[in-house]
Amino acid sequence: VRLQLPRPHLRQAVQTMCVCVCIYTCVPEMCVFIYGIIYKISSRKSRAELMFFSTPTATDKVALLIGNLSYQNHPQLRAPMVDVYDLTNLLRQLNFKVVSLLDLTESEMRNAVDEFLLLLHKGVYGLLYYAGHGYENYGNSFMVPVDAPNPYRSANCLCVQSILKLMQEKETGLNVFLLDMCRKRNVHDDTTPNVVLKVTANIVFGYATCPDAEAFELNSSGFTNGVFIKFLKKRLLEDEKITVLLDRVAEDMGQFDPTKGKQALEIRSSLSERRALTDPVLPSGCWDEAQARNLQWAKAHELPESMCLNFEGGVQIKLGFAAEFSNVLVIYTSIVRKPVDISSCQAYVTNFTPELDVDPKEMNRVTPEETGSYLLSKNLPQHCLYTRLSSLQKLREQLVFTVCLQCTYAAMEEPVDWTMEVNIGKPLIARLDLHRPPRRSSCLQTCLMPHSPSHSPCHSPGAEQIQQYPCCFPSQLSGTYLGVESCELPHGSHSTFYGGSPHSDSALYHRYREADADEGPPFLASLTRVNIPIEASDDIEELQSSFIHCLQVHNRH
């Protein structure tokens, strides 16, 4: 029972309720007993009891995570895939409903934000994480889609403050933005959205870097986190006010030699209560509305059911599915049963729609890593053939493909082939049709209203609304890390960054070539699906000294 009453009134109400219950159940002898227990409990001044009645709660917790890495017209990135994957797993432990998406175009990003907004309502904790190219003009932050032209302007990008405005209209309990991108000025864009924000005491911005600075990812022969998530993931499960948690992350980042003086976490907050990502969920309002929102989220995360296919000749094949992200599906096949007169048989999948752009060389592989699925490999069954399908948001029709079976009989030299067509509908995020043109009521309307900066009623939460934390760090590392399994820096890596301004591409590219002229810049390679194995290392001190003199950069802009 949660009553918005002063403490003495609350105690009196609970006591009266217990007495009424006891009288109603005709157990008067229990009345005095229960009354005394309630009085003793309500009289205690323990910290635990005070926290029970004073801890803020969320009516729900929803997170949208976007990682853009395979850019069409700009340097490609590596870390966003690992960052989104690690953050997804951590937020799920905090009871967030998480939508995790990779490599979205402009229309897909706008539609994803629209679907995210449908899950928000009064009291919900909303969290938006973005990793990719970005920039900041006049206090407004812009996220760059993978299909953005070169150069791009605000009309080609999504304005974070415009999304905040739409979240405020939902009367959310907490709005958290974690922006893992650069904040350099875009000299090709002299406009800014006309975003008028409400004054609300529930906004937190965690910028991976300071204004007019870059955000780094650690570029190596293997997958690693960006610098921001590298330290955030060690703190995210702590039961602390979100601004306190981010302060500790800033302190940790300040001790990291490779980016010291180059990247510093900035926190902006208007938070007036002790709101934490660990706050419990206490649903309120109409039950039917809550169910509708839950179904909306579940619809985007519905996996096809595993199935057994029976072929002629008595062979049975198992077809299984796993989700790596909300728009990435892994299909695996295995032989469940084969007659004794068949010496060998193999099952594989083929004939996928061209919309998914599946590389035949990465289909039906013996290990998940060969398909590019390094993050999910530990959770998949062994002794199967694996196929990874990315960009499910582009799927316009139901997903239909062919399962082929090739068998060799002991009494025959030539193999025998059978095929079977399988329809698994629209899996995962494909159900939401993010490929459609953005709705008129979407964030598109608030993202395309240029005006002079001097006439902007409000850009990002300013000094009168938001407390801005300085970009400086204590010399001592404080707090305790939480052990979370993830990818660390491999030995011998070097660092790159996401962001900057379009005019700086040439100089940064030359800096890279001076250090690695033999191998060439990895971000210019074709990385539609990045196929680099994860490597892990816990020897941070050795890695720091190894990296300190070999930081190289490319832009997220």
Side-chain angles (χ1 to χ4, degrees):
V1 179
R2 292 183 61 83
L3 302 175
Q4 303 299 322
L5 296 172
R7 184 184 180 81
H9 296 172
L10 178 62
R11 182 189 308 162
Q12 187 177 22
V14 174
Q15 293 168 353
T16 304
M17 181 182 68
C18 290
V19 172
C20 293
V21 171
C22 290
I23 293 175
Y24 179 80
T25 54
C26 300
V27 190
E29 62 272 16
M30 293 294 295
C31 180
V32 177
F33 176 71
I34 296 178
Y35 185 93
I37 293 177
I38 295 298
Y39 182 84
K40 289 181 180 180
I41 293 176
S42 61
S43 298
R44 293 174 182 169
K45 306 297 182 182
S46 67
R47 180 176 180 271
E49 186 231 357
L50 291 174
M51 288 184 63
F52 175 80
F53 288 105
S54 63
T55 298
T57 60
T59 55
D60 203 352
K61 295 194 284 190
V62 182
L64 172 62
L65 280 54
I66 299 176
N68 285 342
L69 56 155
S70 301
Y71 282 87
Q72 300 171 11
N73 304 304
H74 304 280
Q76 305 208 357
L77 306 172
R78 298 188 178 190
M81 178 186 292
V82 186
D83 292 342
V84 169
Y85 187 83
D86 285 348
L87 197 57
T88 295
N89 292 331
L90 291 170
L91 288 173
R92 283 175 177 167
Q93 295 181 50
L94 298 174
N95 294 321
F96 272 83
K97 293 182 175 71
V98 182
V99 179
S100 58
L101 300 168
L102 297 181
D103 290 333
L104 301 185
T105 64
E106 179 191 344
S107 61
E108 291 166 356
M109 286 183 70
R110 296 191 190 282
N111 287 328
V113 169
D114 284 349
E115 297 295 337
F116 171 62
L117 294 171
L118 291 177
L119 300 175
L120 303 182
H121 59 99
K122 187 174 183 179
V124 171
Y125 286 12
L127 185 149
L128 173 64
Y129 170 77
Y130 171 74
H133 287 307
Y135 70 95
E136 182 174 303
N137 276 10
Y138 308 116
N140 290 275
S141 302
F142 295 89
M143 304 180 292
V144 180
V146 294
D147 63 340
N150 189 5
Y152 47 71
R153 296 173 176 81
S154 59
N156 314 119
C157 305
L158 271 72
C159 176
V160 174
Q161 281 67 28
S162 297
I163 298 173
L164 171 58
K165 173 182 171 62
L166 297 174
M167 292 174 67
Q168 288 182 323
E169 294 174 0
K170 300 287 186 174
E171 299 183 3
T172 45
L174 178 64
N175 300 309
V176 178
F177 294 86
L178 303 175
L179 302 179
D180 200 352
M181 65 184 197
C182 286
R183 300 173 68 189
K184 299 286 286 185
R185 173 134 164 52
N186 184 355
V187 297
H188 298 281
D189 183 16
D190 58 356
T191 62
T192 186
N194 185 14
V195 184
V196 182
L197 297 175
K198 297 179 182 178
V199 179
T200 56
N202 62 354
I203 304 170
V204 177
F205 276 86
Y207 295 96
T209 192
C210 292
D212 202 33
E214 296 85 13
F216 288 80
E217 66 177 15
L218 299 163
N219 186 20
S220 70
S221 59
F223 270 152
T224 61
N225 290 112
V227 174
F228 181 32
I229 296 300
K230 168 182 168 63
F231 293 99
L232 176 65
K233 68 186 182 183
K234 299 174 181 178
R235 298 283 189 182
L236 197 67
L237 299 181
E238 294 181 2
D239 184 18
E240 294 288 353
K241 184 178 178 180
I242 179 62
T243 50
V244 173
L245 184 149
L246 290 175
D247 270 332
R248 293 178 177 175
V249 175
E251 294 173 6
D252 297 344
M253 286 178 60
Q255 301 298 315
F256 190 51
D257 288 337
T259 55
K260 188 176 293 185
K262 299 179 178 66
Q263 177 177 351
L265 176 64
E266 182 182 11
I267 308 163
R268 295 185 183 182
S269 171
S270 67
L271 208 56
S272 62
E273 298 180 287
R274 187 199 177 278
R275 298 276 181 176
L277 299 181
T278 55
D279 288 345
V281 174
L282 186 65
S284 64
C286 177
W287 186 85
D288 290 338
E289 292 180 1
Q291 281 294 98
R293 286 187 294 269
N294 288 337
L295 289 174
Q296 180 72 11
W297 175 82
K299 183 170 70 170
H301 294 83
E302 184 176 342
L303 272 174
E305 293 185 3
S306 298
M307 58 185 73
C308 288
L309 307 178
N310 295 307
F311 283 80
E312 296 181 21
V315 179
Q316 187 178 72
I317 296 173
K318 181 177 181 180
L319 197 63
F321 308 90
E324 190 171 23
F325 298 92
S326 299
N327 63 339
V328 178
L329 178 71
V330 176
I331 302 176
Y332 51 91
T333 58
S334 61
I335 306 297
V336 177
R337 184 183 66 241
K338 70 179 182 70
V340 294
D341 58 337
I342 296 180
S343 58
S344 65
C345 60
Q346 186 179 50
Y348 57 96
V349 294
T350 186
N351 294 337
F352 290 99
T353 173
E355 294 171 343
L356 297 181
D357 191 25
V358 184
D359 187 348
K361 296 180 181 179
E362 297 177 359
M363 294 167 51
N364 305 296
R365 309 308 297 176
V366 177
T367 64
E369 289 81 3
E370 293 180 77
T371 70
S373 182
Y374 300 98
L375 305 176
L376 197 63
S377 58
K378 294 181 181 179
N379 301 318
L380 294 174
Q382 297 180 344
H383 310 299
C384 300
L385 294 182
Y386 308 91
T387 300
R388 184 176 186 262
L389 306 179
S390 58
S391 301
L392 290 179
Q393 74 278 3
K394 300 184 184 301
L395 193 63
R396 296 177 179 272
E397 304 294 337
Q398 295 184 343
L399 182 54
V400 180
F401 56 93
T402 303
V403 179
C404 301
L405 176 65
Q406 186 176 80
C407 297
T408 301
Y409 285 86
M412 300 174 58
E413 294 183 359
E414 295 295 326
V416 180
D417 297 321
W418 290 281
T419 61
M420 185 178 298
E421 191 174 83
V422 176
N423 185 340
I424 60 173
K426 286 189 173 183
L428 301 175
I429 203 69
R431 288 174 173 265
L432 300 184
D433 295 328
L434 298 186
H435 56 78
R436 68 180 184 272
R439 302 189 186 99
R440 290 183 59 84
S441 59
S442 72
C443 64
L444 178 67
Q445 298 303 306
T446 53
C447 286
L448 298 179
M449 297 171 61
H451 65 283
S452 169
S454 61
H455 291 88
S456 175
C458 180
H459 307 302
S460 59
E464 61 276 300
Q465 300 179 13
I466 290 271
Q467 176 185 359
Q468 182 169 339
Y469 289 71
C471 299
C472 58
F473 311 99
S475 59
Q476 297 296 326
L477 192 69
S478 62
T480 304
Y481 284 170
L482 293 178
V484 179
E485 181 180 352
S486 55
C487 308
E488 291 294 341
L489 265 59
H491 180 71
S493 304
H494 60 274
S495 200
T496 61
F497 69 77
Y498 347 121
S501 55
H503 68 281
S504 61
D505 280 357
S506 177
L508 297 178
Y509 174 76
H510 287 308
R511 283 191 61 189
Y512 181 87
R513 289 302 299 269
E514 289 172 4
D516 296 87
D518 294 335
E519 297 181 4
F523 52 79
L524 294 183
S526 176
L527 294 175
T528 303
R529 287 165 299 279
V530 187
N531 297 319
I532 306 169
I534 301 173
E535 298 178 6
S537 172
D538 296 323
D539 193 354
I540 299 302
E541 293 183 359
E542 179 183 352
L543 293 171
Q544 287 180 348
S545 60
S546 170
F547 282 141
I548 188 62
H549 299 300
C550 57
L551 282 175
Q552 305 299 333
V553 292
H554 66 85
N555 296 41
R556 268 192 183 179
H557 61 267

